[in-house]
Amino acid sequence: MSSPTSEQNMSSNVSLSSSITFMTPTNNNDSILDATAADEELLSSIQLYVEDQRHVEPERIMPYMLMLARGLHDDIPKTVDLSNVEVFKKSLEHNLLKKKAISLAKPMLCQELKRRNPQMKLNINNKKFDDLFTMLDDQGVSEADKKYIISKVTVYLDQLKQGIKEAGEKKKEAGGRMEGVDRLRYILTIDLCGDIREAYMRSQDVLSRQALDARNTASAVQDFHELVVAKFNDPTWIPRTKSNPDLHSYFSDEIVCEKREYYSLTREKSKQLLLDMKHKMNEICKRYDKSGNGAGQLDSDDEEECIVADGSNF
């Protein structure tokens, strides 16, 4: 068997090479970088930036996001002070956040401006907040950034609203109990309102036949408890105690007895409160009588003459 000639070998090599398609070698690193760039675009440049602690510390992320959301999110107006916005106002009242969390500083605005345009040179001393906001608007943000900002801030606002709701429920539950200021308000309501005081005095008298028959009719006159409950629950009624330092240090300054948001008086509470006060007053009167200065007592230095009304000695 004869060996193939050199011409035959060349012919076979040519035919073989013509059947092979050569691919231009690709750079794997380039394809990886392209994929990363695509992922970054999906994440938004803002997200990548604020989640990098080299740029924004974790505790500053939300203040930074609120800065970006001003005028962009429906619930965040383009204003420096957000403390008057309802959700933040109530959050501050319930101690859900500190004012620092919603405050705005010029360096933060400048940081964002430089992020958008690294070549920008700024002198914040010569710029007002309105000027910086205008510059931010001129720079603009991508749709991906807008979507991320609105989504992030919406979640945060929902958390605050839930916290406000829970804090309100707890406060309402605690506020259902009467406090000292409520007792003072009740007493002042009786003392300062002549018609209520007169109604109380009438309530101590025996009702006439005519008054008894009219109790459940349209012509019935409001009784003491109806009057005191209506006045007590009126938030515009703001009685004050008089300064009386000789009585107790607690009464040295006048006390403003505003109606508390979560406490309201009812007829049943008014009746119970009046009974409790009468009981306490009776105990005070008994102790006063036993002191030797009460009715029927003789104030004397002679212990044998210090006889209390019920016949028992000290």
Side-chain angles (χ1 to χ4, degrees):
M1 186 172 181
S2 59
S3 60
T5 64
S6 59
E7 291 181 356
Q8 289 175 328
N9 285 334
M10 287 181 66
S11 176
S12 64
N13 287 339
V14 170
S15 63
L16 181 61
S17 63
S18 64
S19 67
I20 297 175
T21 302
F22 290 97
M23 302 292 292
T24 302
T26 59
N27 188 328
N28 289 333
N29 290 334
D30 288 343
S31 62
I32 292 173
L33 288 173
D34 290 341
T36 303
D39 290 341
E40 289 181 356
E41 182 62 24
L42 289 174
L43 288 173
S44 92
S45 59
I46 290 289
Q47 181 176 0
L48 293 170
Y49 186 80
V50 299
E51 291 181 357
D52 188 338
Q53 294 187 25
R54 294 173 300 176
H55 303 306
V56 183
E57 298 173 356
E59 62 271 15
R60 291 183 60 242
I61 290 179
M62 194 46 62
Y64 202 93
M65 297 303 301
L66 290 174
M67 173 196 70
L68 297 172
R70 281 167 165 84
L72 188 62
H73 194 287
D74 292 339
D75 295 331
I76 311 295
K78 189 181 291 185
T79 178
V80 175
D81 186 10
L82 293 178
S83 61
N84 291 323
V85 178
E86 189 67 16
V87 64
F88 297 119
K89 184 178 181 180
K90 287 188 174 294
S91 296
L92 290 169
E93 290 174 358
H94 292 296
N95 296 319
L96 298 178
L97 53 77
K98 296 181 179 179
K99 196 167 185 178
K100 185 179 179 181
I102 57 175
S103 62
L104 183 62
K106 287 183 180 180
M108 191 185 295
L109 280 164
C110 292
Q111 180 181 349
E112 176 59 18
L113 282 168
K114 290 182 178 179
R115 184 195 72 82
R116 299 184 189 184
N117 184 0
Q119 307 304 320
M120 182 178 290
K121 294 182 179 180
L122 289 169
N123 184 355
I124 61 176
N125 295 325
N126 298 330
K127 300 292 183 183
K128 297 180 180 179
F129 278 106
D130 290 341
D131 297 331
L132 295 172
F133 276 129
T134 300
M135 294 172 71
L136 272 180
D137 291 341
D138 293 341
Q139 293 293 324
V141 290
S142 67
E143 288 301 318
D145 286 343
K146 287 182 182 179
K147 184 177 180 181
Y148 175 72
I149 294 168
I150 293 173
S151 173
K152 190 82 171 177
V153 171
T154 298
V155 171
Y156 180 63
L157 293 178
D158 288 343
Q159 291 173 344
L160 287 180
K161 290 173 183 176
Q162 182 61 29
I164 292 169
K165 181 181 178 181
E166 293 175 358
E169 290 174 352
K170 289 181 180 178
K171 191 172 181 179
K172 186 175 182 180
E173 182 180 349
R177 295 188 292 271
M178 176 171 271
E179 296 181 359
V181 69
D182 301 318
R183 290 181 181 275
L184 280 177
R185 181 178 175 84
Y186 184 81
I187 293 169
L188 290 172
T189 301
I190 299 173
D191 181 54
L192 300 178
C193 300
D195 58 333
I196 295 177
R197 189 167 60 252
E198 289 176 8
Y200 174 74
M201 298 301 293
R202 287 196 304 270
S203 70
Q204 305 306 300
D205 298 331
V206 178
L207 291 177
S208 65
R209 181 76 265 173
Q210 184 179 2
L212 283 170
D213 294 338
R215 280 187 302 176
N216 297 321
T217 65
S219 60
V221 178
Q222 283 187 306
D223 66 12
F224 162 74
H225 291 293
E226 289 174 328
L227 290 171
V228 75
V229 166
K231 193 67 175 180
F232 183 99
N233 291 334
D234 180 3
T236 62
W237 164 243
I238 306 177
R240 291 172 169 81
T241 65
K242 294 180 180 179
S243 174
N244 196 345
D246 294 334
L247 179 61
H248 191 277
S249 59
Y250 180 77
F251 296 99
S252 296
D253 300 319
E254 71 171 21
I255 302 171
V256 179
C257 301
E258 294 183 289
K259 183 186 178 301
R260 291 193 299 122
E261 181 180 0
Y262 296 106
Y263 182 84
S264 294
L265 189 68
T266 63
R267 185 181 182 87
E268 290 70 25
K269 289 179 181 178
S270 176
K271 287 182 176 181
Q272 186 60 50
L273 180 57
L274 199 59
L275 287 173
D276 292 342
M277 289 171 60
K278 283 182 177 179
H279 174 72
K280 287 181 171 62
M281 288 298 295
N282 284 332
E283 291 297 320
I284 292 173
C285 289
K286 287 180 181 179
R287 288 196 294 271
Y288 181 74
D289 286 343
K290 289 182 179 180
S291 71
N293 295 311
Q297 303 299 311
L298 293 176
D299 187 7
S300 171
D301 292 334
D302 188 351
E303 292 185 1
E304 294 182 358
E305 294 183 6
C306 293
I307 308 299
V308 296
D310 60 4
S312 61
N313 295 331
F314 285 99

